[in-house]
Amino acid sequence: MKLGIFGATGLVGQTMLKILEERESFKDVQVEVFASSRSKGQEIDYRGQKLVVQELSEESIKAGGLDYALSALDADLAAKFLPLAAQEGIVCIDNSSYFRMDPDKPLVVPEINLDTIRPEDKIIPSPNCSTIQSVIPLKPIYDAFGIKRIIYSTYQSTSGSGVGGLRDLEEGLKGKEPTTYPYPIAFNLLPHIDKFLDNGYTKEEMKMINETRKILGDDNLAITATAVRVPVKFAHAVSINVETKKPFSLDQVYKVLEDFPGLVVQDDPAKKIYPMNLYTEGKDEVFVGRIRRDESIENGLNLWCTADNIRKGAALNTIQILEKVAKLA
Ligand code: 2RA
């Protein structure tokens, strides 16, 4: 099996390679790395060898003989290159937003909806980072009690904006002006992630709303979201307020969350145990805590969840999809 990493030199591409190295299932897979012409010829260490970065182009895709690709390309480059790769028969797992809402494509979180992938799918989109970590605790609640309404408030780390976001935080702490964000992120919060749309929401907020509906398979779900960038390097947090259709007990909620794969309940306020961004960095699981009733309505529930946005929110989710599609796990 020959696997290409598209966009191998960025934060997500590098994390894909790190996770592939960690996973026994990929030890016999031949890996090739692709990026823009700026990175051509650069060498990347992988399993004791040096991988030479190739320029991603129509020619290199045609000549590559790849079976699968993990793509960490931006939406515009994914739009340009993935259909070409698909035409060559390469199955592409895509981290970009470009194909996510295409009604002819699935939108996959392996713990939830692997069954939506059809054998003929050549481009398989992976959701937005903050969506992935939110739908994982929501899915068992949806199945057990039904969901009427969701209110998301996100606290998203600067790595979500790539190296530029990390640099703005680091340099901002030394008093330098930002170059990625419109305002300083050091000692500040920005209620602004991605572009503003005509309805006053940002694209990030609408991604959470639309992608959640698609993954849970419920177009009528009432959802609202506020997405905020916070001065944290890695891991996003999301405060989730849910109104369920059926009544629940908190014991039932704990049980369905504890039984769900990829989810860890960290919730003991008396011992000051709750999920935190700092301790989530580098972890594969989604963490959930601060589980309590929203006492202002009849069937209301509050959750706080964290996940490493570059791992489960991006690189790891695509790799878990690939493992299933290529029958490696
Ligand atoms: C962010 N959701 O955190 C983005 C990354 N895909 O900005």
Side-chain angles (χ1 to χ4, degrees):
M1 171 178 156
K2 208 165 166 188
L3 168 65
I5 311 296
F6 295 170
T9 53
L11 216 47
V12 173
Q14 291 286 299
T15 307
M16 285 171 172
L17 287 162
K18 206 157 117 196
I19 297 171
L20 292 177
E21 265 188 329
E22 289 166 10
R23 289 169 101 83
E24 199 51 21
S25 49
F26 284 90
K27 75 174 190 327
D28 297 322
V29 171
Q30 189 184 337
V31 174
E32 301 214 348
V33 285
F34 299 81
S36 69
S37 56
R38 268 176 296 133
S39 306
K40 188 179 169 184
Q42 202 175 302
E43 289 184 333
I44 299 179
D45 291 321
Y46 179 74
R47 289 188 189 266
Q49 348 149 21
K50 300 261 182 227
L51 302 180
V52 180
V53 177
Q54 304 175 48
E55 180 179 347
L56 185 66
S57 65
E58 191 171 346
E59 296 68 44
S60 64
I61 288 174
K62 282 191 171 150
L66 301 172
D67 303 297
Y68 296 95
L70 292 172
S71 175
L73 299 172
D74 287 342
D76 51 340
L77 292 176
K80 179 174 169 191
F81 287 115
L82 298 194
L84 291 171
Q87 247 173 34
E88 292 301 305
I90 304 168
V91 175
C92 306
I93 322 291
D94 178 28
N95 187 56
S96 88
S97 60
Y98 192 78
F99 298 100
R100 286 180 191 151
M101 294 312 296
D102 181 337
D104 288 333
K105 295 191 174 43
L107 183 60
V108 181
V109 177
E111 292 84 347
I112 298 178
N113 60 351
L114 272 176
D115 59 340
T116 55
I117 304 175
R118 297 152 304 184
E120 65 271 26
D121 285 324
K122 289 279 179 270
I123 299 176
I124 303 172
S126 178
N128 181 43
C129 44
S130 36
T131 311
I132 294 176
Q133 73 178 76
S134 301
V135 290
I136 285 189
L138 284 173
K139 172 67 176 167
I141 290 170
Y142 186 90
D143 287 347
F145 315 111
I147 292 181
K148 225 188 213 173
R149 181 172 189 231
I150 301 166
I151 304 172
Y152 287 133
S153 306
T154 76
Y155 303 69
Q156 297 183 221
S157 63
T158 58
S159 56
S161 315
V163 285
L166 290 170
R167 199 185 322 111
D168 268 14
L169 175 54
E170 203 65 60
E171 297 296 312
L173 293 169
K174 299 177 207 154
K176 297 230 176 82
E177 287 302 311
T179 55
T180 297
Y181 300 122
Y183 298 99
I185 185 65
F187 311 112
N188 202 9
L189 304 178
L190 305 178
H192 173 187
I193 299 184
D194 210 327
K195 294 188 182 69
F196 280 103
L197 303 171
D198 289 344
N199 64 357
Y201 283 71
T202 59
K203 264 177 94 175
E204 184 76 1
E205 290 160 350
M206 290 314 297
K207 281 180 200 171
M208 293 198 69
I209 294 169
N210 294 327
E211 293 178 19
T212 298
R213 289 184 180 138
K214 181 165 177 177
I215 296 161
L216 295 180
D218 187 343
D219 291 343
N220 298 319
L221 207 48
I223 311 177
T224 190
T226 302
V228 179
R229 187 74 68 197
V230 299
V232 163
K233 284 191 187 169
F234 291 97
H236 292 349
V238 185
S239 161
I240 308 176
N241 176 270
V242 201
E243 185 178 359
T244 61
K245 287 185 177 163
K246 292 189 210 150
F248 58 82
S249 73
L250 283 180
D251 282 346
Q252 288 172 319
V253 170
Y254 279 109
K255 173 90 177 86
V256 296
L257 293 174
E258 275 162 358
D259 287 349
F260 201 71
L263 187 59
V264 176
V265 176
Q266 276 185 340
D267 195 32
D268 191 347
K271 292 188 180 142
K272 302 193 190 74
I273 291 174
Y274 33 74
M276 284 179 278
N277 301 50
L278 193 60
Y279 308 112
T280 301
E281 180 182 338
K283 302 271 174 26
D284 285 350
E285 298 86 1
V286 174
F287 297 88
V288 65
R290 300 298 324 281
I291 300 163
R292 63 207 189 280
R293 281 190 181 279
D294 169 357
E295 294 176 339
S296 69
I297 51 172
E298 202 180 328
N299 296 321
L301 180 69
N302 283 313
L303 308 172
W304 170 258
C305 84
T306 63
D308 185 319
N309 53 305
I310 305 295
R311 288 181 81 95
K312 184 56 188 167
L316 176 67
N317 200 65
T318 61
I319 289 170
Q320 290 171 326
I321 295 171
L322 176 59
E323 277 179 330
K324 294 296 178 198
V325 172
K327 302 198 175 19
L328 294 169

